Amino acid sequence: MALAAKLQLRQSQSLVMTPQLMQSIRLLQFTHAELEHFIDEEIERNPLLERAEPQDDAASDQAPRTEAAPETADDGDWFETEAGWSAEAISEKLDTSLENLFPDDPGTSERLGPDLTAQWKSATGNGGTSSSEGFDAGDMAATAITLRDHVSEQIALAFADPAARLIAGELADGLDETGYMRADMAEIASRLGSGADAVAKVLSVCQTFEPAGLFARDLAECLSLQLAVRDRLDPAMKALIANLELLARRDFHTLKRICGVDEEDLLDMLAEIRALDPRPGMAFSGGASDAVIADVEVRAANDGSWTVELNAETLPRVLVDHIYFAQVSPHAKNQAEKDFLAECLQNANWLTRSLDQRAKTILKVASEIVRQQDAFLVHGVRQLKPLNLRTVADAIGMHESTVSRVTANKYMLTPRGVFELRYFFTASIAASGGGEAHSSEAVRDRIKQLIDEEKTVDVLSDDAIVDMLRESGVDIARRTVAKYREGMNIPSSVQRRREKRALASAGR
């Protein structure tokens, strides 16, 4: 068989992920903060992009201020009246000389007059009249004290030795936001060239700082420090603190035997434990937290339907400066500059179209979610319907992956609160009678209600909850009930019965 080289032409179709297409996909899943950061970077990189800031209303407010200006100026320039800031006027008014008033610096009329006047006008920005627009109440507010600042103040007072103060500073750097000391003491001793005993001694002093419990290395030590301040760290309490795992399992019978106390004393000890703060460092500011900003707002309309709108605060306003492009492009000196301007214009136009498409996609997905979950908005979580991404994607004619990107880290403001869009997508649990399926979130809420309403003498087991749910039309397995219960941090029926009996005994 002869071998020969041939040249063939084939025509085919394929989806190519261009940079612009990848950018549009990324924009869909960006949060509000990530989108703002991305747009800021694009504006720095592209000279044809600019933000469309809202129009300033200062012009409309200027006229009233201008009319009131003469009267304000007459009242504000009180230092330029006949009883002005001249040395002679002050001496005459106070019946004394400036040497008696200011023995260190009597000053002169020129220094007291023009300089102070200029400084006052410069500070107020209104010819000597303070303006409310230039005043920010936040500037006068005290800065929140952080945990590091609070500890540093106590370190400065507790240690006179510079070496001990240095060790204390290293220990303070090892504090986490809850107030626990996470640093390795051996590593600190090695790095500072001090002995382990010196580090331990400094740590013992730091553990006396306020609030009690700081610089603890675990939960048991944190509780012990707080109990020691209250003079309640007796042998029985030490035994209880040493067996916190039994307390977590609510094994009160074993705890009574280990601590050597009766049931009444044990309940008093448990009450003291509950009064302690397991995270003493959280009382201080750890930095500003980002507030959740809803991307979509849902309001009830007059006709009984729902109005779905995009939140204007989350919509980035970006404009393409075509005027600047028209001014600059004729002056391009070479082909490279022309290509650069053309690329900037193309990228700017693509970005604005992508942002517009992103907003329309979010609105379309949110509107379909509201249509599907209308019963939830009216009646609450019990009426939440099972919903998946494919159902919404088929309804709006989009791909399932697009819906997944849109619903990630996006929030909806409803009359029942702010919810992530993913909240409305829940698993389906079959109905026992073959009717309409139930949402897993609605079943969780039903399980929580049954447990909250149970009595001390009739604590519901998982099997009993299964039977009650099946009577109400929910076909669910026992392991599913146990999984939902554990997911809500609800203990088992044995632990709940033991705790309820202990609380009932304490009430008697």
Side-chain angles (χ1 to χ4, degrees):
M1 182 177 65
L3 299 177
K6 296 182 179 179
L7 182 62
Q8 297 180 346
L9 296 177
R10 294 182 180 179
Q11 186 177 5
S12 61
Q13 291 182 344
S14 61
L15 180 61
V16 179
M17 295 290 291
T18 62
Q20 291 82 3
L21 181 59
M22 295 176 62
Q23 181 188 87
S24 299
I25 294 175
R26 288 175 57 203
L27 290 179
L28 282 177
Q29 57 191 7
F30 276 168
T31 63
H32 173 64
E34 293 172 342
L35 182 62
E36 290 293 332
H37 179 68
F38 173 78
I39 292 176
D40 289 339
E41 291 181 343
E42 289 296 318
I43 291 177
E44 291 181 2
R45 187 164 36 242
N46 194 333
L48 301 182
L49 280 174
E50 62 179 7
R51 285 191 178 272
E53 299 295 342
Q55 294 295 329
D56 191 5
D57 296 332
S60 60
D61 300 336
Q62 186 66 31
R65 286 197 299 265
T66 303
E67 295 175 0
E71 182 180 355
T72 305
D74 293 339
D75 295 338
D77 294 341
W78 50 271
F79 42 78
E80 295 180 1
T81 59
E82 57 182 3
W85 283 97
S86 64
E88 296 77 11
I90 292 178
S91 300
E92 182 179 356
K93 278 286 184 182
L94 300 181
D95 194 20
T96 184
S97 63
L98 290 181
E99 287 80 359
N100 295 330
L101 290 176
F102 309 103
D104 295 331
D105 185 13
T108 61
S109 60
E110 292 79 6
R111 180 171 180 177
L112 286 173
D115 289 352
L116 280 178
T117 302
Q119 293 174 16
W120 173 261
K121 290 184 177 181
S122 176
T124 58
N126 194 20
T129 304
S130 58
S131 174
S132 58
E133 285 79 13
F135 175 75
D136 186 6
D139 296 339
M140 304 295 294
T143 304
I145 299 177
T146 63
L147 176 60
R148 187 66 172 85
D149 296 336
H150 178 73
V151 171
S152 298
E153 293 177 357
Q154 299 187 67
I155 289 175
L157 297 175
F159 300 99
D161 184 16
R165 190 176 298 177
L166 179 62
I167 296 175
E170 291 292 330
L171 294 175
D173 290 338
L175 290 177
D176 62 7
E177 61 180 5
T178 60
Y180 286 80
M181 210 277 291
R182 303 301 186 185
D184 187 0
M185 295 179 59
E187 191 272 336
I188 293 178
S190 176
R191 186 172 68 252
L192 298 180
S194 59
D197 295 338
V199 177
K201 184 178 180 180
V202 172
L203 178 63
S204 63
V205 176
C206 293
Q207 288 179 344
T208 62
F209 289 172
E210 292 291 337
L214 292 180
F215 289 91
R217 286 159 289 189
D218 52 34
L219 177 60
E221 188 175 21
C222 179
L223 300 179
S224 298
L225 292 173
Q226 298 180 54
L227 289 169
V229 172
R230 303 184 181 193
D231 196 20
R232 284 292 297 125
L233 195 59
D234 52 24
M237 190 66 78
K238 289 182 180 179
L240 178 60
I241 296 298
N243 294 274
L244 291 178
E245 66 279 358
L246 297 178
L247 180 59
R249 296 202 301 265
R250 294 172 172 82
D251 191 354
F252 301 138
H253 180 72
T254 305
L255 285 175
K256 287 191 297 182
R257 179 176 53 83
I258 294 176
C259 298
V261 296
D262 56 15
E263 185 172 350
E264 183 178 358
D265 291 337
L266 180 61
L267 291 175
D268 292 338
M269 295 167 63
L270 295 180
E272 293 184 31
I273 294 295
R274 292 192 185 97
L276 303 178
D277 187 1
R279 295 176 294 181
M282 297 299 292
F284 300 90
S285 173
S289 58
D290 295 333
V292 174
I293 301 178
D295 300 87
V296 183
E297 296 180 358
V298 179
R299 295 188 300 271
N302 296 329
D303 57 355
S305 61
W306 298 100
T307 301
V308 184
E309 298 178 351
L310 292 174
N311 186 2
E313 295 182 2
T314 63
L315 294 178
R317 299 176 176 86
V318 181
L319 297 179
V320 182
D321 195 346
H322 293 279
I323 298 178
Y324 180 70
F325 175 79
Q327 293 175 349
V328 175
S329 56
H331 301 285
K333 297 180 179 179
N334 48 48
Q335 188 62 35
E337 294 182 356
K338 295 181 180 179
D339 294 342
F340 172 75
L341 292 175
E343 182 181 0
C344 289
L345 181 62
Q346 180 183 2
N347 292 338
N349 290 329
W350 183 272
L351 178 60
T352 54
R353 287 196 298 267
S354 298
L355 292 175
D356 181 66
Q357 185 63 35
R358 175 183 182 271
K360 292 179 180 178
T361 305
I362 294 176
L363 184 60
K364 188 179 296 185
V365 172
S367 300
E368 180 61 23
I369 291 176
V370 170
R371 191 184 71 83
Q372 294 281 351
Q373 300 293 358
D374 174 74
F376 163 79
L377 297 175
V378 177
H379 302 289
V381 68
R382 294 292 177 83
Q383 300 299 323
L384 191 64
K385 294 171 53 179
L387 186 65
N388 53 39
L389 298 174
R390 182 176 294 276
T391 302
V392 175
D394 294 341
I396 62 178
M398 291 185 177
H399 195 271
E400 186 176 348
S401 62
T402 303
V403 178
S404 177
R405 292 186 178 94
V406 170
T407 56
N409 300 318
K410 308 294 189 306
Y411 294 88
M412 178 187 294
L413 175 62
T414 70
R416 295 194 173 274
V418 179
F419 300 92
E420 189 178 6
L421 295 184
R422 288 285 178 90
Y423 173 82
F424 299 97
F425 296 89
T426 59
S428 174
I429 297 180
S432 57
E436 188 177 357
H438 301 272
S439 168
S440 60
E441 194 67 30
V443 174
R444 284 190 182 92
D445 185 75
R446 176 60 176 163
I447 293 173
K448 185 177 184 301
Q449 183 188 26
L450 291 174
I451 294 176
D452 292 340
E453 295 176 352
E454 66 184 4
K455 300 180 180 179
T456 305
V457 296
D458 188 18
V459 176
L460 299 175
S461 64
D462 291 344
D463 291 325
I465 294 176
V466 170
D467 295 337
M468 297 177 70
L469 289 176
R470 286 180 177 174
E471 291 177 359
S472 61
V474 181
D475 187 10
I476 190 171
R478 179 187 179 279
R479 62 178 180 274
T480 306
V481 172
K483 182 180 69 174
Y484 289 170
R485 174 178 54 76
E486 293 172 357
M488 293 183 289
N489 295 322
I490 298 176
S492 64
S493 58
V494 177
Q495 294 173 330
R496 297 200 309 273
R497 183 180 295 109
R498 185 182 298 140
E499 184 176 4
K500 288 179 182 293
R501 287 178 179 176
L503 293 176
S505 300
R508 292 196 300 268

